[in-house]
Amino acid sequence: MSLVLTLASRNLFHDRLRFVATMVGIVFSVVLVMIQMGLFLGFGRMVTTMIDNASADLWILPKGAKCFEDPSLLDVKLRDRVATMEGVSWAAPLVIGFSDWRLESGEVTPVFIVSADLRDGSLQPFNVVDGNVPALTQGANVAVDRSYFERLGVSGVGSTAEIRGRKVRVVAVTDGIRSFATTPYVFVDLKNARNYTGTPRDRASSVLVRLKDDADREKALSAIRAEVGDAEVLTSDDFRSRSRSFWLFGTGAGAALFAGALLGVIVGTVIVAQTLYSSTKDHLNEFATLRAMGSSNAYIYTVIIYQALINAVIGFAIAAGIGSIVVQMTAKSALPIVITPWLMAALFALTVVMCVASGIGAIIRVVRIDPATVFMR
Amino acid sequence: MNDYVVEAKSVEKKLGRGAGEVHALRGIDLSLRRGELTLLMGPSGSGKTTLLLVLGCMLTPNSGSVTICGTPTADADKEALARIRREHIGFVFQSYHLFPTLTATQNVQLALDIRGEHGRRAAEKSREALAMVGLEQKVDSLPGGLSGGEQQRVAIARALVANPSVVLADEPTGALDGKNGQSIMRILAETAHERERAVLVVTHDPRVVPYADRIVEIEDGLIVQEPTDRPRMPTAVPFRA
């Protein structure tokens, strides 16, 4: 181990109480930022889960539709016009909307109806763990997510309930299709979706379009835009961005998460800065001795920055351990915290920057050291 | 070849400002030669420490000049002064100023580390320096586990390990008993005589006088007794404890 690193680590570990306080500060800060950003990512994924799993190439939407759950409607005849256009493989109407679910106990709870289209690549129940998805096309059958069993008063395939006074039967069960608004998604076929949501036969929430593999995508997109008039045509990526932007920033939820993360960074920086400054102050005589011996300022800065880096590495390792536990604990919750390798890397970089920036106060103090003071003590 | 490694000419230094201003040095001329141990003596407040700080490149004079190994210190900024100290000067402090969390070897090695000498060779040189001052059995001891005399010997090993041309010692025996004080002075005298270094010792301690080749007395910022050559005390006796 280099002597600078040895000196830095001994300076840190010499006062164990202060080191523990520093670690608490860093861990608190990093875990707070990790959770906020993990919620942000989890939220971002959750609000686009239907778009992600539809695998349609284009979405035709009522003008100004902000997200998948937007209640606006458009003319369903658009579907017929687009389906026959060059480069289009198929086009399918999608109907969504809120409805009432009556449990066998008589209790009523709101649900969000999603019409399923069983064609390959269209929107249909995914992550299916039990039951028979094709059975959705027969009678009043539904698919629900098992995380909402209790809320919906069902126990699996074969359970029954009522939607808007019509008896329905669970024929398929999914896992992990959760709504961030906590309103359970219920997949039904298109005809039933109209009935349950009160959507007229000539209207639809959107039209999903699949292009042929050999289609000129730009050309097809332009042609469809020209054809649909007032309606909007978005690629899946554009619709995903728009939905995230609406839910995360249009509602202020994202800003709140970022504010929490920023608070974590500020708290962490202040705590680390305070402890590093206090540690440096306690070792001023040693730094003055180094300076008297002829050490450059850069050498002394290196000692302080190494102290900051040691803090960052140990603090981050502990925080990462806590973060992984939190991820596991929230995996099955309504809003799981998502921590990706990229987020982890970014958080480590943030921790290092935070700790090194915290050393600036200590460095400013050290710059003012007068080496002559060692002759006065 | 010029044997003078430190040359101070007409050095004046004022400390403080306004009503609190003190004229600490009032035109000092002093040169330190290789192979010579010089004692700087004088009453408290006479300017001894200020002169040591000026010669040690920690203070710059208001007027006059200081040259260390041919390098003038006038107009040098803080980093340039630090470089002169690093390259030419070894310091021994009254209070040792060892790093309490580092072993004796690591304390000595710091003097090499700040000069860019790292690794196994630096550690080896540091252990050799400790052996030279009789501490080969204490290389892995922390300062807290050493006596005052041993700590001062570690400090001397630290001052010498990088082969500086000049060693400046501030009251090196001030915190030691007679026996340890004698031991430290023997090491410093051998440093001057055997290793051909210029050694300046600031002291109040009359017991160290026999080790001096020259004695410079300072009072009210002026040298009141010109340096005179004195017969050297033999240092052939090994100074190991």
Side-chain angles (χ1 to χ4, degrees):
Chain A
M1 198 194 308
S2 87
L3 202 51
V4 176
L5 191 54
T6 304
L7 185 57
S9 60
R10 301 269 171 90
N11 280 356
L12 276 182
F13 303 144
H14 185 61
D15 187 335
R16 286 179 191 162
L17 194 61
R18 180 165 48 210
F19 179 68
V20 169
T22 310
M23 283 302 112
V24 169
I26 295 173
V27 169
F28 169 79
S29 166
V30 176
V31 168
L32 181 56
V33 176
M34 193 181 283
I35 288 174
Q36 296 292 310
M37 296 316 296
L39 281 172
F40 183 83
L41 287 184
F43 196 41
R45 280 189 186 182
M46 191 169 272
V47 297
T48 63
T49 185
M50 291 297 174
I51 303 168
D52 294 339
N53 285 282
S55 75
D57 296 313
L58 303 174
W59 292 71
I60 302 175
L61 303 159
K63 192 168 183 63
K66 296 177 179 65
C67 59
F68 177 82
E69 291 81 3
D70 195 293
S72 312
L73 298 172
L74 47 66
D75 187 346
V76 77
K77 285 178 189 155
L78 284 177
R79 181 258 162 204
D80 300 331
R81 279 154 50 193
V82 170
T84 55
M85 290 181 70
E86 187 183 345
V88 174
S89 175
W90 54 255
L94 177 75
V95 170
I96 56 164
F98 286 96
S99 191
D100 297 329
W101 176 284
R102 182 183 293 274
L103 288 67
E104 284 193 337
S105 64
E107 194 181 332
V108 175
T109 186
V111 292
F112 196 84
I113 301 294
V114 177
S115 69
D117 188 318
L118 302 189
R119 267 175 290 196
D120 182 34
S122 185
L123 183 57
Q124 54 182 284
F126 45 94
N127 297 344
V128 177
V129 292
D130 193 16
N132 175 19
V133 173
L136 282 177
T137 57
Q138 301 155 16
N141 292 338
V142 301
V144 297
D145 196 86
R146 67 179 174 193
S147 56
Y148 293 118
F149 274 2
E150 195 178 347
R151 176 97 68 86
L152 298 175
V154 296
S155 57
V157 171
S159 297
T160 57
E162 280 183 16
I163 301 179
R164 286 210 173 168
R166 297 176 176 88
K167 189 163 185 175
V168 296
R169 183 167 163 268
V170 175
V171 293
V173 174
T174 62
D175 181 38
I177 306 181
R178 279 182 295 273
S179 156
F180 75 95
T182 74
T183 307
Y185 287 121
V186 175
F187 288 91
V188 302
D189 82 347
L190 180 64
K191 194 178 100 188
N192 287 329
R194 290 189 189 285
N195 292 334
Y196 299 151
T197 59
T199 304
R201 292 174 60 82
D202 62 342
R203 314 299 284 175
S205 305
S206 56
V207 174
L208 278 66
V209 179
R210 181 72 178 249
L211 299 177
K212 290 176 180 165
D213 291 343
D214 58 353
D216 180 335
R217 306 176 80 81
E218 288 303 315
K219 196 174 162 190
L221 180 60
S222 300
I224 294 169
R225 277 185 176 149
E227 179 66 33
V228 300
D230 277 350
E232 282 190 278
V233 184
L234 299 181
T235 64
S236 292
D237 284 345
D238 289 342
F239 191 29
R240 201 175 285 125
S241 299
R242 182 183 285 190
S243 292
R244 278 195 187 130
S245 174
F246 170 71
W247 285 116
L248 292 173
F249 299 106
T251 64
L257 291 170
F258 273 114
L262 183 64
L263 185 68
V265 173
I266 292 170
V267 169
T269 304
V270 169
I271 291 176
V272 180
Q274 201 280 329
T275 53
L276 262 184
Y277 184 83
S278 135
S279 164
T280 302
K281 218 171 156 198
D282 280 1
H283 293 94
L284 272 186
N285 190 40
E286 291 167 27
F287 289 124
T289 303
L290 277 176
R291 199 72 177 124
M293 287 162 61
S295 123
S296 62
N297 270 333
Y299 186 91
I300 295 173
Y301 301 159
T302 308
V303 175
I304 294 171
I305 287 171
Y306 271 35
Q307 285 181 225
L309 290 176
I310 293 169
N311 277 334
V313 169
I314 298 176
F316 181 78
I318 298 170
I322 294 173
S324 65
I325 293 170
V326 171
V327 167
Q328 285 172 20
M329 286 170 61
T330 63
K332 299 288 179 190
S333 70
L335 182 51
I337 290 168
V338 175
I339 298 178
T340 62
W342 278 108
L343 176 60
M344 219 50 159
L347 280 173
F348 180 65
L350 178 72
T351 311
V352 168
V353 169
M354 184 176 81
C355 288
V356 172
S358 302
I360 290 172
I363 284 173
I364 290 171
R365 181 68 186 87
V366 163
V367 167
R368 297 204 304 256
I369 285 181
D370 180 0
T373 56
V374 293
F375 288 92
M376 316 300 178
R377 298 176 190 186
Chain B
M1 179 183 158
N2 183 0
D3 273 351
Y4 291 108
V5 290
V6 177
E7 291 182 283
K9 288 181 183 164
S10 309
V11 168
E12 299 219 8
K13 182 66 186 175
K14 291 174 183 169
L15 299 174
R17 284 185 180 181
E21 185 177 272
V22 176
H23 206 156
L25 301 177
R26 300 162 181 268
I28 297 280
D29 290 307
L30 180 65
S31 298
L32 302 178
R33 291 195 279 247
R34 293 177 189 280
E36 200 170 64
L37 190 151
T38 304
L39 290 188
L40 180 60
M41 304 185 82
S44 293
S46 60
K48 298 190 301 293
T49 301
T50 304
L51 180 56
L52 185 79
L53 292 173
V54 169
L55 298 179
C57 300
M58 289 191 216
L59 290 178
T60 46
N62 295 110
S63 65
S65 68
V66 174
T67 306
I68 310 290
C69 296
T71 306
T73 65
D75 303 326
D77 61 16
K78 287 182 177 179
E79 281 298 297
L81 290 173
R83 188 166 56 247
I84 294 171
R85 292 198 295 273
R86 188 161 69 234
E87 290 173 356
H88 301 296
I89 305 173
F91 288 98
V92 179
F93 311 104
Q94 180 178 3
S95 309
Y96 327 130
H97 290 302
L98 299 179
F99 289 65
T101 57
L102 299 182
T103 65
T105 303
Q106 288 168 332
N107 264 286
V108 176
Q109 203 178 329
L110 265 182
L112 297 172
D113 211 56
I114 62 171
R115 288 166 172 81
E117 289 187 52
H118 315 290
R120 200 172 292 174
R121 178 73 193 116
E124 215 169 273
K125 278 171 83 171
S126 304
R127 282 192 289 271
E128 285 167 11
L130 284 168
M132 201 175 65
V133 296
L135 289 178
E136 56 270 66
Q137 304 297 322
K138 304 276 186 175
V139 291
D140 293 323
S141 300
L142 291 171
L146 299 173
S147 68
E150 287 171 332
Q151 288 189 56
Q152 193 58 295
R153 279 191 272 161
V154 174
I156 290 174
R158 181 176 67 184
L160 299 180
V161 70
N163 282 319
S165 302
V166 56
V167 175
L168 301 179
D170 182 34
E171 302 276 8
T173 60
L176 303 177
D177 60 24
K179 187 180 166 196
N180 275 310
Q182 299 287 327
S183 168
I184 293 302
M185 285 312 297
R186 273 203 297 276
I187 295 171
L188 290 173
E190 192 195 78
T191 300
H193 304 153
E194 308 295 319
R195 310 180 99 207
E196 288 288 306
R197 305 286 172 235
V199 178
L200 176 71
V201 176
V202 171
T203 186
H204 278 108
D205 187 352
R207 293 173 301 178
V208 307
V209 169
Y211 294 92
D213 300 306
R214 289 196 302 166
I215 297 175
V216 177
E217 286 188 26
I218 185 171
E219 198 171 323
D220 291 333
L222 285 167
I223 291 177
V224 292
Q225 185 179 322
E226 289 299 316
T228 52
D229 289 339
R230 291 164 50 87
R232 287 178 177 177
M233 176 133 179
T235 53
V237 180
F239 48 68
R240 288 162 188 266

